[in-house]
Amino acid sequence: MTLAPLTATATGSRHGSDVTDRTELIRRFTRSAATTDSPVTPNRAILSWLEENRRTFRHEVTRIPFADLAGWRFDAASGDLGHDSGRFFTVEGLRIHTDVHDWMQPIINQPEIGILGFVAKEFDGVLHFLMQAKMEPGNINSVQLSPTVQATRSNYTGVHRGRPITFLEHFVPPTAGQVLVDSLQSEQGAWFLRKRNRNIVVEITEEPPELPDFRWLTLGQIHRLLGFDDVVNMDARTVLSSIPLGPRVEDQGAYQSLTDVLSWLTRVRATSELSQRYRPLREVEGWQLTEDRIRHREGRYFQVIAAAVSAANREVASWTQPLFEPIGLGVTAFLVRPIGGVLHLLAHARVEAGLANVAEIAPTVQCCPDNYADLPPSRQPRFLTEALTTTGSLVRYNTVLSEEGGRFFEARSRYRIVEVPEDFPLDVPPDFAWISVHQASTLLRYDGYLNVQARTLIAALLATL
């Protein structure tokens, strides 16, 4: 059977056969999610394989002064930090104006679309996904589980002059596999300027080579690993969130229709002000440049550092680069509750500095509490108390996960899914809305609706369901 990509409109395809193929594909994904162990890679072997990779592949990440960056330099006129090739990314200044306040900050400008892709293959009638044990310089524990291919355009086109990307041929013509899932999605809007990646799953039928840092896992096995701290990386989680499971019932039993949800987000985008203006990095107010970091004068938010990296299993054996390092552990949480017997998420239409379209659907809470520690309750993020203080069986998910390790250094957040009681108000502030899990999953088929933190929690929630 030829399987149609999941890129039709929300109301369905014009061709009945496409709908049939899509339904069959969702059934195959759901079967993989229900398969929680596999003889291809047994559960008992997964974590030991990951630990073996951490021991075997030699790596070292060392903080260095900016003067020791090789191939990177501060522009004499603007102070922007960029690569000599003009590729990869630059650290620039950005001036942001919103309805609430104005500020300036460093931001990563990487105007290219990368590939975050899983290769899928059927074993004994069950789809398996090829995961990579990948070292990233910013990972808290060096090696985490990533998609089959996780590469920027600069990397997969060979700007680094290193080895070619393993399995890249399955995602680019002329040998690309059968596309099952394909969408463009944003990265962290607080630190990236309008950055997007292609989230893609392709199915192959041939036998790929067996390599020590790759293993085949079912969706059910990957979902199980989402319960472990710092194991499944951000790039894998965002692709996982885009894989549809269960029946397509976007509006069945929902508190409001999908059309109403889209109208709510569109209203917030249309009525919220977000002005993004380039600012030379040397002119960014409130930030200080020292020999080894760019930091906020109050010691909050994040800082930019430089690192020297060596890694035996990467396309390039050693390199240097800038990294963004957050100050403190983040908290990212969805409040959830059943409405009419259907599970709903309390979503936030969140405006962020680097977003391309003003606002995206974010978790109920997304912040670093340390940045608000000295503020009165009235100025704390809304619903933070409920997200942090709820305990016991009402906490459906509670795991510390790493953010993207290629650009961020030891960036971690506690991800939580917290069920609130049925007397929790349905009437919420205008930039919040109750949306069903199926509605959120439907929107993940398209570009720019759910932010990367929300996508992680959707992947986690689907695992718990």
Side-chain angles (χ1 to χ4, degrees), residues 331 333-336 346 364-365 377 380-392 394-395 416-421 424-425 428-429 432 434:
V331 171
F334 262 129
L335 301 188
V336 303
L346 183 53
T364 319
V365 174
Q380 299 277 340
R382 283 170 291 190
F383 306 111
L384 178 61
T385 299
E386 292 87 345
L388 286 180
T389 61
T390 303
T391 59
L394 292 177
V395 179
R416 289 168 64 87
I417 299 172
V418 175
E419 187 168 347
V420 294
F424 191 89
V428 292
F432 288 81
W434 293 102

Side-chain angles (χ1 to χ4, degrees), residues 238-428:
T238 180
V239 183
L240 289 171
S241 71
S242 300
I243 295 175
L245 301 175
R248 296 178 68 245
V249 287
E250 290 88 352
D251 286 339
Q252 184 175 323
Y255 182 63
Q256 58 182 336
S257 70
L258 188 60
T259 299
D260 289 337
V261 172
L262 291 172
S263 178
W264 160 73
L265 180 60
T266 301
R267 175 184 53 76
V268 173
R269 287 173 167 174
T271 59
S272 298
E273 186 171 357
L274 175 63
S275 171
Q276 303 158 320
R277 295 194 176 185
Y278 166 77
R279 193 80 171 182
L281 189 59
R282 67 169 68 256
E283 297 178 12
V284 174
E285 297 173 3
W287 293 78
Q288 302 166 337
L289 171 64
T290 70
E291 66 175 15
D292 62 354
R293 69 194 63 202
I294 303 170
R295 63 184 294 274
H296 192 265
R297 64 188 175 194
E298 296 178 356
R300 297 186 178 186
Y301 311 120
F302 62 91
Q303 58 188 11
V304 184
I305 64 170
V309 186
S310 62
N313 67 332
R314 290 294 298 263
E315 294 79 23
V316 176
S318 62
W319 70 94
T320 63
Q321 69 169 93
L323 290 165
F324 276 40
E325 180 183 22
I327 306 298
L329 180 71
V331 171
T332 304
F334 262 129
L335 301 188
V336 303
R337 61 158 290 180
I339 302 175
V342 175
L343 190 65
H344 283 68
L345 317 167
L346 183 53
H348 182 202
R350 181 180 174 89
V351 177
E352 293 190 276
L355 290 180
N357 202 10
V358 183
E360 292 184 350
I361 295 174
T364 319
V365 174
Q366 178 187 316
C367 70
C368 178
D370 289 353
N371 291 331
Y372 302 89
D374 59 350
L375 297 179
S378 61
R379 296 182 60 190
Q380 299 277 340
R382 283 170 291 190
F383 306 111
L384 178 61
T385 299
E386 292 87 345
L388 286 180
T389 61
T390 303
T391 59
S393 60
L394 292 177
V395 179
R396 288 176 170 242
Y397 185 79
N398 182 31
T399 306
V400 175
L401 299 172
S402 297
E403 306 302 334
E404 206 274 331
R407 298 290 177 266
F408 310 139
F409 184 75
E410 297 186 355
R412 306 167 80 212
S413 290
R414 179 167 295 281
Y415 280 85
R416 289 168 64 87
I417 299 172
V418 175
E419 187 168 347
V420 294
E422 291 197 3
D423 60 355
F424 191 89
L426 293 178
D427 186 19
V428 292

Side-chain angles (χ1 to χ4, degrees), residues 11-34:
T11 56
S13 168
R14 293 172 295 174
H15 304 289
S17 61
D18 290 346
V19 174
T20 301
D21 288 347
R22 194 160 57 246
T23 301
E24 171 63 12
L25 179 55
I26 293 173
R27 184 197 66 78
R28 296 174 71 209
F29 282 139
T30 303
R31 182 178 183 185
S32 181

